[in-house]
Amino acid sequence: MAKKEEKQENPEVEALKEKLLINRKNGFFSLTDEKVKKADDYCEGYKDFLNQCKTERECVNFSIREAEKQGFVPFDPEAAYHPGDKVYYNNRGKSIILAVIGKNGCRDGVRIIAAHIDSPRLDLKPYPLYEANDLALFKSHYYGGIKKYQWTTIPLAMHGRVVRKDGTYVDVRVGDDPGDPLFCVTDLLPHLGAEQMKKPLSQAIEGENLNVLIGSRPVRTKDGKGEDLVKLNVMRLINEKYGITEEDFVSGEIEFVPAFRASDMGFDRSMICAYGHDDRVCAYPAFTAALNCKAPKNTILAVLADKEEIGSMGNTGMDSSFLHYFVDALAQKEGLEGRDVLTHSKCLSADVGAAFDPQYASVYEARNSCYLNGGVGLFKYTGARGKSGSSDASAEFMAEIRDMLCRNDVLWQTGELGKVDAGGGGTVALFIANLNVDVVDMGVPVLSMHAPLEVVSKIDVHMAYRAFKVFFEGK
């Protein structure tokens, strides 16, 4: 049989392609083994962060502990600061700003990276505890955009804070340590689920039925009689451990989150599967980039905010004024106006993007999608359908950031959140743009976004860190 001739490209055509066209090969081939190892090593710290921080309060507490080890101190409005000084502002225990004072201070603007530290979950209702047919359960109100069916029959952990009437509080964390009990939302067995399975996925599990199973044994009485004995027994155990009563749940913030630990994924250990990648996979690189930024030219701010998953509302979300007020305070120390500092500032809105999933290729536009191992994602706009809810970065700022990434050999890619009419989503970029700041979205591509178990590439996580670090350093 004659040997099949191999197709030979014209060298001139190849050279022209190299010069003019984008080559979207797997980013792994752009990296040395040493760089891949650096990514793997960096992600060990990220996995530890994920395992310790499943709520926004835990993220803030972690950030303060680690920042203080690196010399950060609480921000003092009366103090004078000098280049290299490191401060943090704790906003109600649920959002935080870390700042390193630059050589030029604020006069040329500040460099901001803003990520969010809240994630989809099940929150408890004000009166959550009830008994039904000798089972004790908690009523929940889901938080953020979830597929409700994904939250049944998975192990759940209980995290949060309960504040008593006298202002004292107790922090709760059950389900993540060895030997802890777990919790779950039950589901209907398939043998009896014929009618349920006829429903659309969005209706198969109702929000009012996302009730968490927490006990089945009653308080022991002499005659075995009494109302709500299982509920009473659960409340007795909670009171013995935490010193709270049922009414204290009214002033509590209790979240039920997946009990999964962050783990390597795949035979090649190239990925991380965990709860909360959205958006802690951007928050951790932003945080560590701030810790490792020693002498920036301009003052830098790493903002870890709350409430993004429900619109960034509230005084700990990015739609509030806490960032604006903090910049005002820094500006005043240098005899500047906060509005002028913000006008000359630059920001990366650090939030995740959708990674192309070949199993659901029909909702993606392949040419304009991000891929695992393609590097950090740079997104000119987000929003839904007709760019609704997007700040849409300027061409000039996009070019500046693109140049920064290329000059510093940071692996990056760009894309959109699926096909134009398939849906979409927003970030905090529009709230920062409203302050007259140049802002663009940048983040890590995620598979199974908003699911209890999400997936990211280790290479992409490390490239986010490298991108954030060079942005802070002004390189």
Side-chain angles (χ1 to χ4, degrees), residues 186-255:
T186 60
D187 195 4
L188 187 61
L189 62 161
H191 311 72
L192 300 177
E195 292 302 314
Q196 179 194 49
M197 289 189 284
K198 292 178 183 177
K199 297 179 181 179
L201 282 176
S202 62
Q203 300 174 17
I205 303 295
E206 297 178 3
E208 286 296 342
N209 290 337
L210 290 174
N211 303 316
V212 183
L213 182 61
I214 58 172
S216 68
R217 289 182 180 174
V219 167
R220 188 180 296 279
T221 62
K222 290 183 179 179
D223 58 6
K225 295 181 179 180
E227 294 292 325
D228 289 340
L229 296 183
V230 178
K231 170 184 173 179
L232 182 61
N233 188 46
V234 167
M235 197 64 242
R236 177 182 65 84
L237 294 170
I238 292 174
N239 177 261
E240 288 176 357
K241 185 167 184 177
Y242 298 111
I244 60 176
T245 67
E246 184 179 10
E247 186 180 298
D248 291 325
F249 283 114
V250 172
S251 51
E253 291 179 345
I254 298 295
E255 307 171 13

Side-chain angles (χ1 to χ4, degrees), residues 324-341:
H324 190 175
Y325 292 162
F326 185 77
V327 173
D328 278 345
L330 291 177
Q332 289 169 15
K333 291 178 181 296
E334 299 179 26
L336 304 170
E337 292 288 344
R339 64 175 180 269
D340 295 329
V341 171

Side-chain angles (χ1 to χ4, degrees), residues 271-379:
M271 300 166 285
I272 302 170
C273 58
Y275 163 70
H277 283 316
D278 182 7
D279 183 36
R280 295 174 191 129
V281 74
C282 296
Y284 182 76
F287 169 71
T288 52
L291 290 193
N292 295 327
C293 187
K294 305 303 181 186
K297 181 179 178 182
N298 299 88
T299 293
I300 62 116
L301 309 180
V303 184
L304 309 183
D306 185 24
K307 297 290 190 290
E308 193 276 342
E309 297 296 357
I310 57 172
S312 293
M313 312 307 179
N315 55 15
T316 55
M318 287 305 300
D319 195 27
S320 77
S321 297
F322 79 91
L323 172 60
H324 190 175
Y325 292 162
F326 185 77
V327 173
D328 278 345
L330 291 177
Q332 289 169 15
K333 291 178 181 296
E334 299 179 26
L336 304 170
E337 292 288 344
R339 64 175 180 269
D340 295 329
V341 171
L342 287 166
T343 297
H344 294 97
S345 294
K346 299 174 182 180
C347 175
L348 299 181
S349 168
D351 207 342
V352 298
F356 186 90
D357 190 335
Q359 299 196 87
Y360 303 98
S362 63
V363 296
Y364 295 88
E365 201 264 280
R367 287 183 57 83
N368 287 285
S369 292
C370 287
Y371 295 79
L372 290 194
N373 295 323
V376 66
L378 175 63
F379 310 100

Side-chain angles (χ1 to χ4, degrees), residues 11-22:
E12 293 181 6
V13 172
E14 284 295 300
L16 199 58
K17 284 183 177 180
E18 181 71 22
K19 179 180 179 181
L20 299 179
L21 300 184
I22 295 172

